[in-house]
Amino acid sequence: MKQFRYILFVVVFLSCRKEIEFKLPPGTQSLVVNSNLCSDSLITFKLTYTQAINDNSALITENNATIELFDKDSLLLEKITTSQNGFYQTINTKAKASNCYLLKISTPQSIFWMKDSCPGKCIASILKVDSTIFQGKANFYRIKFQIKDLQTCANYYGLKLKHTYESYISGGGSKQDTLLIDEWVDVETNDPILTQYDNNKYTKKHLLFDDAFFNKGIIDFSFGTSAINNSSTRKTKQLSIDLEQFSSDGYQFYTTLFEHMFYQNDPFSQPTMVKGNINGAYGSFIGKNINRTIILFKY
């Protein structure tokens, strides 16, 4: 009898639920700037606004802004007023390495100022590639890489690998469709140059490091990927090595951004504040220079 009462109590207890409607007070919308200040490219901006965590509607874009781009001496380079769904782009001005830029964004509600510079480009090259066993993985594609950092100022780097391959899909009978697919893959390494930074535990697809140990010098290091595995349904065409150089603001932005994204789905973690360089707004206006090396695979 006691056992029956206990079971009945448990059933009743678990069956009683109260739904609580969780309402968040409406917050003030803040401007979010997503910019591309990349050397030798037109300068682009995407302007949107923040929204509540429980708001699943489409992002609100800013289509009535005026963007003014100046050089380091405050000389106006270009004025942008036209937008498509919050997207703005320079028409004549391409970012140049080692140049500093000042930006003014005027919206109907406020004015925002920001500045940054495009780093100069280092000299990077592949010294050797081979196939080896890495941490128990056979056919690991290893790359020995060299950076010549000849600038006296501090430099900040990012390293990414893009794998391009053909995927073969049967279309019925003897017919076969071929798709060309790009994917960013994990950068796998045990080289101290890349593993000494705690921030690289937040993502393996975009490793960040600085030149603290090779400023105005030359450094060799190794990394690779285990993603290059050909089969009857796929074949590697090329591997792109993107060595990025950031300003100090850019390095700080990406470091905090990756940490924020790593913890964003963990309800027990303290949210990481992403550090941009725009007073009164979110996002960033950061300079970047990309040194891309492509390895072609021929069969």
Side-chain angles (χ1 to χ4, degrees):
M1 187 66 180
K2 289 183 178 181
Q3 185 178 10
F4 173 76
R5 289 178 180 176
Y6 175 75
I7 295 174
L8 181 63
F9 171 77
V10 172
V11 172
V12 172
F13 178 77
L14 294 177
S15 299
C16 294
R17 284 189 282 177
K18 182 179 180 181
E19 292 188 3
I20 300 175
E21 187 176 355
F22 184 62
K23 291 185 178 181
L24 290 174
T28 303
Q29 289 183 326
S30 299
L31 183 69
V32 180
V33 180
N34 185 3
S35 69
N36 179 40
L37 180 62
C38 187
S39 180
D40 300 323
S41 300
L42 294 173
I43 305 171
T44 62
F45 311 88
K46 178 74 174 183
L47 304 185
T48 59
Y49 285 95
T50 57
Q51 61 187 38
I53 192 173
N54 59 341
D55 185 355
N56 295 319
S57 60
L59 289 174
I60 298 175
T61 58
E62 176 56 75
N63 299 299
N64 299 305
T66 297
I67 299 178
E68 295 169 271
L69 185 71
F70 304 88
D71 66 9
K72 63 181 180 63
D73 298 317
S74 300
L75 176 67
L76 181 64
L77 299 175
E78 194 162 336
K79 185 175 182 178
I80 314 165
T81 57
T82 57
S83 161
Q84 281 190 333
N85 196 28
F87 179 80
Y88 299 78
Q89 178 176 283
T90 57
I91 298 174
N92 302 309
T93 307
K94 290 186 177 182
K96 295 182 180 179
S98 304
N99 280 17
C100 182
Y101 296 93
L102 181 66
L103 186 73
K104 177 184 178 183
I105 298 179
S106 303
T107 70
Q109 295 78 29
S110 191
I111 294 176
F112 306 88
W113 288 90
M114 60 217 77
K115 70 175 182 178
D116 205 7
S117 58
C118 281
K121 184 178 290 187
C122 69
I123 300 173
S125 60
I126 297 173
L127 300 179
K128 181 183 179 182
V129 296
D130 60 17
S131 181
T132 185
I133 297 175
F134 177 76
Q135 296 180 346
K137 300 174 184 177
N139 300 319
F140 178 78
Y141 192 78
R142 181 175 59 184
I143 303 164
K144 188 174 182 181
F145 205 67
Q146 183 180 85
I147 297 177
K148 293 182 180 179
D149 182 346
L150 305 180
Q151 303 170 56
T152 56
C153 61
N155 282 293
Y156 304 89
Y157 295 97
L159 182 66
K160 299 194 293 183
L161 293 177
K162 184 167 68 174
H163 179 217
T164 303
Y165 65 94
E166 287 183 345
S167 178
Y168 309 115
I169 304 173
S170 176
S174 59
K175 185 179 178 181
Q176 194 175 61
D177 294 327
T178 302
L179 298 176
L180 191 64
I181 299 175
D182 289 329
E183 62 174 357
W184 295 103
V185 297
D186 288 354
V187 182
E188 302 172 70
T189 182
N190 56 10
D191 197 297
I193 290 296
L194 299 175
T195 59
Q196 64 180 308
Y197 299 92
D198 288 339
N199 53 319
N200 283 334
K201 66 185 179 183
Y202 302 121
T203 177
K204 299 301 180 186
K205 289 182 169 56
H206 197 165
L207 301 188
L208 304 176
F209 59 105
D210 58 34
D211 63 354
F213 296 100
F214 59 96
N215 180 258
K216 204 178 178 183
I218 300 174
I219 189 70
D220 299 346
F221 57 98
S222 296
F223 56 88
T225 176
S226 54
I228 300 176
N229 291 312
N230 293 333
S231 67
S232 59
T233 59
R234 58 183 282 173
K235 183 178 291 185
T236 295
K237 301 300 292 182
Q238 70 178 43
L239 185 68
S240 301
I241 306 169
D242 276 14
L243 179 68
E244 303 171 323
Q245 285 180 261
F246 307 114
S247 62
S248 58
D249 282 349
Y251 185 77
Q252 179 177 250
F253 172 75
Y254 281 112
T255 298
T256 54
L257 175 65
F258 294 155
E259 184 176 356
H260 171 78
M261 294 175 65
F262 183 83
Y263 285 119
Q264 67 177 349
N265 294 321
D266 183 355
F268 303 104
S269 66
Q270 181 71 24
T272 302
M273 180 62 70
V274 179
K275 297 179 181 179
N277 61 346
I278 307 172
N279 291 328
Y282 293 101
S284 64
F285 176 67
I286 55 175
K288 181 166 58 174
N289 204 327
I290 301 176
N291 192 323
R292 175 168 292 174
T293 306
I294 297 177
I295 302 174
L296 298 175
F297 290 77
K298 297 181 180 181
Y299 304 96

